[in-house]
Amino acid sequence: MTTLQSVPALGTHPTSGANPGRAETRDLLGRATYDLLVVGGGILGITTAWHAAQSGLRVAMVEAGDFAGATSSASSKLLHGGLRYLQTGAVKLVAENHLERRAVSRDVAPHLAAPLTFYLPVYKGGPHGATKLGAGVFAYSALSAFRDGVGHVITPAKAARDVPELRTDNLRAVAVYEDGQMNDARMAVMTVRAAVDAGATVLNHAEVTGLRFTGGRVTGADLRDRTDGTEFGVNARLVLNATGPWVDHLRRMEDPTAAPSIRLSKGAHLVLRRTAPWRAALATPIDKYRITFALPWEDMLLLGTTDEAYEGDPADVAVTESDIAQILDEASLSVRDAQLSRDLMTYAFAGLRVLPGGPGDTAKAKRETVVTEGRGGMLSVAGGKWTTFRHIGRTVMNKLAELPGHPLAEDMEPMSQLPRHAPLPGFASPDAVTHRLLVDGVAPGPRMAADTARHLATHYGSLAFDIARLANEDPSLAERIHPDAPEIWAQVVYARDHEWAYDADDVLRRRTTLTVRGLDTPEVRERTAKLLGNGG
């Protein structure tokens, strides 16, 4: 059983200092020679920076946009073993995914992850029968050593009580299994904090304009701060390209003749207000390989995802009318029409899966991580999935240790010597944090609302007390940002000072849920920009 840290009273919890400013960070980056420069602040770059800093290396990480600003905050928000991978015989992969899912949910970030029950409906004429799916969910739970219970089959009536919007026409049975979910943007930001706590220097909104070479080897990068145009550079013994969909763009900076190494698959999602409580998620088979999800998430309903080859500019990826129609049409196989009204839509988003290069249907492609070394010695890492983000970090570190000549090995602690389940900042029981926030209250204003307390506990863990203290000190910061959302203004100040938020989108789309809820009104954006102090 996981032992959770004690939860201090609001007045006794220590407050960490604010992050250094952008100018100070640029100065730090420009003065030192780092062991490792990570280019790319999606989850692959973040987890590598975290593990590298833990190992004792001097680490810098830069990101052209915001941390997790692209695909890493456009996922299905799941921590899962990958039920569909059983279709391709990837039994070992599913078992490894389960292991990582449990580690993140129980030992690393119980304050950011939550268990989620899935119902897999079996309809007359569907691609799979009840016997096959029942056996599938049993095998799936067996691969997690039955630690989340035993996959089984229930009646349509029982499922409909838990999911009132479940379509029951021609519903034969419902298979049940367990997985988990998270807020991907919050998980990413907390992992950035963990990397910084371990000694990494990080900067977002800093674009690489060119690579630095010494004797034909890549030894750093030239950058431009997108917030004010300042140009600066970073020197490093080794550069890691973790730019996701842009990985080949950076590879061509190293070697203009570099052949494409990846292909991209677009995944779109819709967010809707819920018309009834959902006590379970739906995973509905579309065909032999594809599943469409209807997920209760952040008091809303998340629908998706699509899976189609994408060949355009990664910066232009967007949800189209065709995507919306497809998602709603596929959801209608198992969700009642009343829940699928377009009037309930609050947000739509799309991300790009990075898949190994090669032919074939993207829906059948393996979600594996590929690490390659370029002509100039730059390492490029691409692929993988959110569930295994810690494993990806360890994989890259093992690759660094095995490089010819072992340039970094003597300066880094082997992965086998480091804690295998290092917790993310704020590690605590969300129930305990919620209770303490409600007991201690926010004085001198009114007692903190229950939904706000729960929101803070499940997005910050014990760091929620720092936010509550800001609200204590300034009652205006205890007010809700929008009456229909649980967030309070203290979170904006906290995001500015402790979470590298620069503009309104950083705060409203990724540090909070206001944009996803469709509540980032002009008034909200204006006050957010004012608190950020830069015009947002």
Side-chain angles (χ1 to χ4, degrees), residues 425-444:
F427 178 92
S429 160
D431 291 338
V433 172
T434 301
H435 173 72
R436 182 51 57 86
L437 288 170
L438 292 173
V439 167
D440 286 1
V442 178

Side-chain angles (χ1 to χ4, degrees), residues 161-421:
R161 286 195 293 272
D162 290 339
V163 184
E165 299 293 357
L166 174 65
R167 190 181 293 278
T168 55
D169 301 340
N170 296 315
L171 181 61
R172 296 292 183 83
V174 176
V176 183
Y177 65 96
E178 301 292 330
D179 262 328
Q181 70 176 171
M182 59 169 179
N183 181 311
D184 48 12
R186 292 298 317 163
M187 186 78 77
V189 168
M190 285 297 195
T191 311
V192 175
R193 288 192 60 143
V196 171
D197 288 349
T201 302
V202 306
L203 188 65
N204 54 357
H205 301 291
E207 176 185 13
V208 170
T209 57
L211 296 176
R212 294 182 169 186
F213 293 84
T214 303
R217 302 285 292 180
V218 178
T219 55
D222 295 315
L223 296 107
R224 180 178 63 86
D225 189 327
R226 285 180 162 180
T227 70
D228 62 8
T230 299
E231 295 183 350
F232 64 105
V234 182
N235 294 317
R237 296 164 64 190
L238 189 74
V239 175
L240 179 79
N241 170 15
T243 54
W246 292 270
V247 67
D248 283 340
H249 171 73
L250 198 63
R251 288 176 64 246
R252 285 191 292 272
M253 284 189 182
E254 175 190 31
D255 176 7
T257 67
S261 65
I262 61 168
R263 55 183 173 145
L264 302 175
S265 168
K266 173 183 165 183
H269 296 80
L270 306 181
V271 183
L272 295 84
R273 294 188 299 276
R274 295 209 302 256
T275 58
W278 285 56
R279 298 183 183 88
L282 298 181
T284 306
I286 299 299
D287 54 35
K288 183 178 179 181
Y289 292 100
R290 288 193 61 237
I291 289 175
T292 188
F293 291 115
L295 310 167
W297 179 79
E298 298 281 4
D299 301 322
M300 295 169 284
L301 188 67
L302 180 63
L303 301 180
T305 176
T306 60
D307 191 336
E308 61 177 348
Y310 184 84
E311 297 180 353
D313 185 335
D316 295 334
V317 66
V319 178
T320 65
E321 174 58 34
S322 175
D323 295 328
I324 295 173
Q326 178 185 339
I327 292 171
L328 292 176
D329 181 61
E330 291 178 347
S332 70
L333 293 173
S334 57
V335 180
R336 295 182 185 277
D337 292 342
Q339 175 62 81
L340 301 180
S341 168
R342 292 192 179 218
D343 292 339
L344 296 173
M345 284 178 50
T346 63
Y347 193 63
F349 62 89
L352 294 172
R353 305 175 188 90
V354 179
L355 305 172
D361 186 348
T362 57
K364 302 175 186 178
K366 293 184 178 180
R367 301 292 298 279
E368 60 188 16
T369 305
V370 179
V371 182
T372 58
E373 184 176 4
R375 177 184 294 179
M378 182 175 70
L379 289 186
S380 295
V381 57
K385 59 199 297 289
W386 246 113
T387 301
T388 58
F389 76 95
R390 296 184 325 124
H391 176 71
I392 292 169
R394 294 193 298 269
T395 298
V396 175
M397 293 308 300
N398 289 333
K399 178 71 173 179
L400 293 181
E402 298 166 359
L403 288 173
H406 306 287
L408 299 181
E410 62 184 24
D411 298 320
M412 56 185 280
E413 193 78 14
M415 284 291 100
S416 60
Q417 301 301 311
L418 296 176
R420 191 162 182 84
H421 299 310

